[in-house]
Structures are given as structure tokens and as C-alpha cells.
């Protein structure tokens, strides 16, 4: 037998090509009995269905949405916060039939995934605004949603109140009597290592690291505290371990350290153990996110909770709504969500 096509199946069942096509892509147009006859015939002939690319071209939709992230794609499967975020997106998309495609913001061998991958819309997750990939998504004029990004007027956005959460964490340390305080932050943009003049330098960072740094300062500056700050490229406990060893090895080591994430806080706990310091007796540590890491460490982390599943569901819902509005040819108000954060007090922070 030659190549099996849509027409081959239609001839076997005695129906039109359109009827066979509907059996695969528009089952509501056929009776259950007729659809079963067509699918059985297709299986017998070894026909897998219409070409997905051709179907997408015909209906003007790919059936897929992208998520653009600056970090390597392995981060999406290894970081607890990222895993929960993507899981919430997938759950929200489950009833829509839309597929989820992860997009790396980096360019590899002249391939720009944000430019080259077929998709109907995209969620932009914690990306540098100037990245080439984000610019390509904007040029494609597809529906977008920004998450952990500075809002823009024409794009829906989903954020948490990072500044308020960081401020609450710093106020907690100050309230415990700490005056020598260190700050560990992560981010690929800008200067790495020790950060002098944090108030000015943080203004140049992307949203999450900037807002958390400024939130810490809103509590520390009025108390007359000038923190010692260190910035590392990645959300890595091993990088944080090295940075914390640097901060904790000096003559005037911090008695408390505020961390951009629970992962960085775990690195501080490891460094304290390396140096024979007790937590919280010798040094207090506060994380951010309230991820699974916060409960797995000993002592368990005092941290700032953000509702990651809520953030993921809100991002997916906003993208679906934007895509539906675009298909209907209408316009709608652009939502900008900011969800609250909460300080969770556990065992890693105590009186100075």
C-alpha cells in the first residue's frame, strides 16, 4: 500500500475528506458511531491523523503557549519555586487543550526560540527587559503576560509584593536586636560580589532582586543600619555558601543575614556549619519564598511566604483571557495583579 492519506481513510469509510478531518479535530460535528468507524478505519490503515502543522495553518492557531525564562531550562525542573509555578500553569491549561512550551531566552547557534517556535501566546517569567528574546516576542505581537517583571501598560502582569515581604523580614531581625546585618541577593544583570552603596546599585537591577533589596533597606536605613551586601549570579546554595563564608569570616561578621531566597538561606546554613557557627545562636538567617527548602533545613527557616501556585494560575488565566479577547477581535482592560507576602517565623532567627 502507498502512503496513507486523509483521502485513503475517506474512501474506505465512504465519507468526505472533511468528515474524516472532523473526526480528528472537531469530534462534536459527528455522531459517536460515525467517529468510531472513522478512527477504527484510520487505525487499521495506519493513519495517525492530519499533519499538525497543516491543521495549525488552517485554523490559524498552533494550540501551544510558551513560557520564556532567563535561567537554563533545567531550572524549571530543579527549583522548587519554579516547579510549583509551572505546575500551576499546567493545571490551569489542562482543560483548554493548550500545550505548554518552555523557551530559553538565550540564543544557541543563531536559533532564537522566542522568534522561531510556533505559539499563540507566552508568559514571560523573570526576564531581563532588554533581552533579545523578549523583544522578539513583542515584535510578533502575540498575547503576553509578564510575571515577576516590571509592569507595562499594554501587557497583563502578575507579581507579588516583594518589597513588603523583604521589609517585614528586615524588621523582624531589627526587632530581635540585630545591628550587623548581611544581605545575599541573586541576579545575572549588573555587578557581582560585594555591593557597596546598595541603595543606588539596586535601582539598576531587575524587579525581584531590586524590590527585595529596597525592601530590606526600608527597614534597615531608619534604624541606622548599613548592611554588607553580596550579589551572586544564580539562585544556588553553593554560590551562597561561598558568599556567606566570606561575610562570616570577618572580624565584624553579621549577626543576621537576609537572603533573596530559601535556597540562598540554605547556603548560609551550610557556611555557618563549615565555620562552626550555630544558627540562630551565633547568626540568624531569614529566607524568602517559603519553599520546600524552608521546611527541610535544620533549623527550619524563618522566611517570607509567596503564594506561588496562585501566581502561576493567575498568569495562565490572564494569558487565556487575552488570547480569547484577541480571537474575538475585541479589547479589554489590562490587569496588573500584585499578591501579598507574609512573614513566616520559624527557628532560624533569634535574638542577637
Amino acid at each position: 500500500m502507498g502512503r496513507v492519506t486523509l483521502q485513503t481513510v475517506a474512501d474506505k469509510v465512504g465519507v468526505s475528506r472533511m468528515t474524516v478531518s472532523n473526526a480528528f479535530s472537531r469530534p462534536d460535528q459527528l455522531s459517536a458511531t460515525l467517529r468510531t468507524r472513522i478512527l477504527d478505519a484510520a487505525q487499521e490503515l495506519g493513519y495517525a491523523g492530519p499533519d499538525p502543522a497543516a491543521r495549525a495553518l488552517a485554523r490559524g492557531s498552533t494550540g501551544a503557549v510558551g513560557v520564556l525564562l532567563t535561567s537554563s531550562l533545567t531550572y524549571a525542573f530543579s527549583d522548587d519555586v519554579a516547579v510549583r509555578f509551572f505546575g500551576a500553569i499546567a493545571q490551569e491549561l489542562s482543560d483548554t487543550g493548550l500545550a505548554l512550551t518552555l523557551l530559553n531566552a538565550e540564543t544557541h547557534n543563531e536559533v532564537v526560540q522566542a522568534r522561531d517556535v510556533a505559539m499563540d501566546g507566552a508568559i514571560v517569567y523573570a526576564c531581563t527587559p532588554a533581552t533579545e528574546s523578549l523583544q522578539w516576542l513583542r515584535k510578533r505581537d502575540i498575547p503576553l503576560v509578564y510575571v515577576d517583571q516590571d509592569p507595562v501598560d499594554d501587557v497583563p502582569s502578575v507579581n507579588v509584593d516583594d518589597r513588603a515581604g523583604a521589609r517585614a523580614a528586615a524588621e523582624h531581625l531589627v526587632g530581635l536586636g540585630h545591628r550587623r546585618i548581611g544581605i545575599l541577593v541573586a541576579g545575572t544583570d549588573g555587578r557581582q560580589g560585594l555591593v557597596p552603596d546598595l541603595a543606588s546599585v539596586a535601582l539598576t537591577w531587575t524587579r525581584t532582586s531590586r524590590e527585595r533589596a529596597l525592601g530590606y533597606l526600608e527597614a534597615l536605613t531608619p534604624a541606622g543600619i548599613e548592611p554588607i551586601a553580596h550579589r551572586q549570579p544564580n539562585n544556588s546554595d553553593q554560590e551562597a555558601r561561598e558568599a556567606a563564608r566570606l561575610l562570616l569570616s570577618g572580624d565584624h561578621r553579621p549577626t543576621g543575614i537576609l537572603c533573596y531566597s530559601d535556597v540562598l538561606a540554605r547556603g548560609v546554613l551550610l557556611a555557618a556549619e563549615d565555620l562552626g557557627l550555630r544558627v540562630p545562636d551565633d547568626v540568624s538567617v531569614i529566607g524568602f519564598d517559603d519553599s520546600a527548602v524552608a521546611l527541610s533545613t535544620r533549623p527550619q527557616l524563618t522566611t517570607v511566604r509567596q503564594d506561588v501556585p496562585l501566581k502561576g494560575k493567575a498568569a495562565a488565566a490572564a494569558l487565556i483571557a487575552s488570547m480569547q479577547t484577541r480571537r474575538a477581535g475585541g479589547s479589554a482592560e489590562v490587569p496588573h495583579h500584585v499578591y501579598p507576602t507574609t512573614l513566616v517565623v520559624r527557628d532560624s532567627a533569634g535574638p542577637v
Side-chain angles (χ1 to χ4, degrees):
M1 181 182 293
R3 187 172 71 92
V4 179
T5 66
L6 200 72
Q7 187 64 56
T8 309
V9 180
D11 291 342
K12 182 174 180 60
V13 182
V15 296
S16 68
R17 294 175 72 255
M18 180 60 71
T19 301
V20 176
S21 177
N22 286 341
F24 285 91
S25 57
R26 302 177 64 190
D28 57 306
Q29 302 296 306
L30 307 179
S31 69
T33 301
L34 178 56
R35 183 168 187 259
T36 299
R37 282 179 54 208
I38 292 171
L39 296 181
D40 286 346
Q43 183 175 4
E44 180 182 340
L45 293 169
Y47 180 66
D51 178 63
R55 290 167 62 187
L57 184 62
R59 66 173 180 253
S61 171
T62 67
V65 297
V67 179
L68 180 70
L69 63 161
T70 303
S71 302
S72 66
L73 296 187
T74 56
Y75 180 79
F77 303 98
S78 60
D79 179 80
D80 176 68
V81 172
V83 168
R84 288 191 291 153
F85 176 71
F86 289 115
I89 293 175
Q91 181 178 357
E92 192 71 16
L93 294 177
S94 61
D95 293 333
T96 68
L98 291 167
L100 184 62
T101 302
L102 297 183
L103 308 169
N104 194 327
E106 298 179 356
T107 300
H108 297 284
N109 297 324
E110 299 185 0
V111 174
V112 182
Q113 293 178 346
R115 179 194 64 196
D116 302 330
V117 173
M119 68 191 93
D120 298 325
I123 295 170
V124 180
Y125 181 41
C127 289
T128 304
T131 182
E132 179 186 6
S133 291
L134 178 52
Q135 302 311 311
W136 274 113
L137 288 178
R138 296 283 288 178
K139 290 176 184 178
R140 291 178 65 171
D141 192 31
I142 59 176
L144 301 176
V145 173
Y146 286 178
V147 180
D148 289 349
Q149 307 262 141
D150 285 321
V152 297
D153 291 341
D154 60 338
V155 178
S157 63
V158 177
N159 288 299
V160 299
D161 197 343
D162 291 288
R163 188 178 296 204
R167 182 171 60 247
E171 287 173 345
H172 184 63
L173 271 190
V174 172
L176 291 170
H178 294 270
R179 293 298 179 269
R180 297 201 306 274
I181 293 177
I183 295 175
L184 291 188
V185 187
T188 56
D189 58 313
R191 176 174 177 165
Q192 306 296 321
L194 292 175
V195 182
D197 193 15
L198 180 61
S200 297
V201 175
L203 293 174
T204 67
W205 296 343
T206 51
R207 186 188 187 281
T208 304
S209 53
R210 181 190 72 234
E211 290 299 293
R212 292 182 188 182
L214 295 179
Y216 295 142
L217 292 175
E218 284 183 356
L220 300 180
T221 301
I225 299 170
E226 185 174 346
I228 179 171
H230 187 283
R231 194 163 193 247
Q232 61 187 61
N234 303 301
N235 189 40
S236 159
D237 55 0
Q238 289 305 311
E239 290 181 14
R241 186 178 194 171
E242 296 174 8
R245 284 175 63 92
L246 174 66
L247 298 186
L248 294 172
S249 297
D251 294 335
H252 299 283
R253 62 175 175 79
T255 62
I257 298 183
L258 298 160
C259 299
Y260 167 89
S261 70
D262 294 337
V263 173
L264 268 59
R266 178 170 59 190
V268 178
L269 297 184
L270 293 172
E273 183 178 1
D274 293 341
L275 298 170
L277 300 175
R278 298 164 298 165
V279 177
D281 299 42
D282 299 317
V283 58
S284 289
V285 182
I286 298 182
F288 205 112
D289 293 329
D290 196 26
S291 64
V293 172
L295 294 174
S296 66
T297 61
R298 294 294 180 270
Q300 293 184 341
L301 289 174
T302 292
T303 186
V304 176
R305 175 179 296 153
Q306 62 162 316
D307 194 333
V308 176
L310 174 63
K311 189 165 66 172
K313 290 180 180 180
L319 183 61
I320 293 168
S322 182
M323 291 165 57
Q324 291 173 340
T325 299
R326 177 75 65 91
R327 282 196 295 269
S331 60
E333 183 177 348
V334 178
H336 297 291
H337 302 289
V338 180
Y339 294 109
T341 50
T342 307
L343 180 69
V344 180
V345 178
R346 295 196 181 98
D347 305 324
S348 65
V352 64

